[in-house]
Amino acid sequence: MQLVIDRIKEYKQQHNAIIAAHTYQPPEIQELADIVGDSFALAEQAAASGADTVIVCGVRFMAEGIKLLAPEKTVILAAPAAGCPMACRIDPERVARFRTENPDAAVVAYINTTAELKAEADVCVTSSSAVKIVSALPQRRILFIPDQHLGEYIWRQVPAKEIITWEGYCPVHHAVTAADLLAAKTAHPGALVAAHPECAAEVLALADFVGSTSGIIDYIGQRKEEIIVVTERGVVDLLNTRYPGRLHQLVPEKLTCPDMKLVTADTLLAVIGGAEGEIIELDPELAGRARASLIKMIALGT
Ligand code: 13P
Ligand code: SF4
């Protein structure tokens, strides 16, 4: 590992580069990273950094998000095969058609979307800012893409709006059932439950706290109780050493995102050697429209 650390350090100095890793990345990758965070934190912090090159250890929409906010930087997706099955679940042409047929409705895109879908939206949201931003929009009817579970969660928080959802969902969080959680609650009586809003309503109904990746991390830090964590296992893998014996990862065999585990230390060595990785290029017209949705999100308060 020391060899990898030394080679990466040398590359970073030569290329004024940083590594940005999502919280769902394997712990060894998080340790090598300069920035670790959720989808928006990566984009915001990488864009604000003085780096010329950003190597992204995450999935494609995250690398696109950094390129949108910092078009002048070279953004390299470390594992080009790392996509998010939810981010491209909905055809952008269907969204464009919906807009034409429903001029009174706003289109709100979760940050977990491709640049093509962000370009069709009025505004983006993160799972932390979704309720606040949807509440602030003047339109009553909202098409929320692509996560039906997050869309339904927002609607329960803001019942005065009409939230229209389609068929998208995160296959990792969607796989969790209420039965999985009830079994864990029986095994760990008294433990609190923290869940990501990408989970189905039946699971969220059993949670003490619902929030984004960073929201769950903050919640864990604020409590003293044992906590059953209902999100991708990277969060618990990261925090287990900080809070030994206090966290219980729900169904790790389900809550493991295969796309997020594609980067290894060897991949990073191959990326800096030029044998792996993809430089993200976006069509300027499409990027302009997608960036406008992200900038509106920032203006409304991420
Ligand atoms: P956040 O990290 O923004 O909470 O999103 C969760 C997720 O599924 C990322 O792929
Ligand atoms: Fe996509 Fe879900 Fe994996 Fe996140 S955890 S990258 S939303 S499939």
Side-chain angles (χ1 to χ4, degrees), residues 22 24 39 58-62 82-87 110 112 147 169-174 196 198 231-232 255-260:
H22 190 268
Y24 297 171
S39 317
V59 295
R60 183 169 293 270
F61 78 78
M62 295 171 184
C84 167
M86 176 169 75
Y110 191 17
N112 299 24
D147 186 0
Y169 55 81
C170 161
V172 177
H173 290 87
H174 177 77
H196 197 286
E198 289 175 15
T231 191
E232 212 278 347
L255 282 166
T256 301
C257 175
D259 287 273
M260 282 288 187

Side-chain angles (χ1 to χ4, degrees), residues 20-170:
H22 190 268
T23 320
Y24 297 171
Q25 289 287 301
E28 61 170 4
I29 300 302
Q30 298 198 32
E31 274 164 32
L32 291 167
D34 302 283
I35 298 172
V36 176
D38 60 18
S39 317
F40 179 65
L42 291 186
E44 187 184 40
Q45 291 175 31
S49 76
D52 294 320
T53 298
V54 183
I55 298 176
V56 183
C57 302
V59 295
R60 183 169 293 270
F61 78 78
M62 295 171 184
E64 288 182 350
I66 295 173
K67 186 70 183 172
L68 287 172
L69 289 186
E72 74 290 354
K73 295 191 195 300
T74 301
V75 178
I76 304 173
L77 179 60
C84 167
M86 176 169 75
C88 57
R89 182 78 186 248
I90 289 166
D91 179 1
E93 283 175 16
R94 274 182 73 195
V95 181
R97 217 163 42 241
F98 175 92
R99 295 186 69 93
T100 313
E101 290 165 5
N102 297 273
D104 64 319
V107 177
V108 176
Y110 191 17
I111 194 165
N112 299 24
T113 41
T114 57
E116 284 83 359
L117 279 172
K118 286 185 176 77
E120 293 300 337
D122 293 295
V123 62
C124 288
V125 296
T126 64
S127 46
S128 333
S129 65
V131 170
K132 180 178 165 195
I133 290 178
V134 166
S135 309
L137 291 176
Q139 294 91 338
R140 194 187 71 80
R141 294 181 74 228
I142 312 278
L143 172 64
F144 184 80
I145 54 171
D147 186 0
Q148 58 180 255
H149 295 313
L150 179 57
E152 286 164 12
Y153 171 76
I154 299 165
W155 201 1
R156 290 195 293 278
Q157 310 306 309
V158 195
K161 301 276 180 178
E162 181 191 347
I163 311 279
I164 303 154
T165 58
W166 280 345
E167 69 272 24
Y169 55 81
C170 161

